[in-house]
Amino acid sequence: MAYVVTRNCLGNKDRACVEVCPVDCFYNIKKKKYNDKFNRPAKDGDEGLLVINPDECINCGACETECPWQAIFEDSAVPTEDKEFVEIN
């Protein structure tokens, strides 16, 4: 199992999750098309979202508890409306 960043990250890239991650598995995807598609305007030009590489994630869960936007879930627990973020990550 890996963790997945979902729509609440769009336009709200806090990066606290990146700071607590013991490995370098987060990547900044700067694609405005995601903000537009999910109707999440980018704040201060912060387009796109952070994503987690599932091959590099060690499944420690530190990022999930640190995320102030509740945007990170285990891949098996992603809410139905955010299932396509499993593919994006």
Side-chain angles (χ1 to χ4, degrees):
M1 256 185 282
Y3 283 82
V4 174
V5 181
T6 60
R7 84 178 64 225
N8 285 348
C9 185
L10 289 163
N12 297 307
K13 290 188 231 173
D14 180 78
R15 293 174 180 80
C17 53
V18 177
E19 297 299 319
V20 299
C21 183
V23 295
D24 292 327
C25 65
F26 278 89
Y27 294 88
N28 187 12
I29 305 299
K30 291 186 158 207
K31 293 187 178 180
K32 186 177 181 297
K33 71 178 184 178
Y34 293 130
N35 298 84
D36 294 342
K37 180 178 180 179
F38 297 102
N39 195 25
R40 300 282 180 147
K43 296 177 185 167
D44 301 322
D46 215 358
E47 298 171 337
L49 72 159
L50 298 171
V51 295
I52 298 171
N53 182 324
D55 295 329
E56 297 171 359
C57 178
I58 61 170
N59 307 317
C60 68
C63 59
E64 181 182 27
T65 57
E66 191 67 26
C67 179
W69 301 106
Q70 298 175 339
I72 302 174
F73 299 88
E74 284 186 81
D75 59 0
S76 61
V78 172
T80 303
E81 65 271 11
D82 286 339
K83 288 290 185 192
E84 67 187 290
F85 285 87
V86 174
E87 284 296 314
I88 293 170
N89 280 250

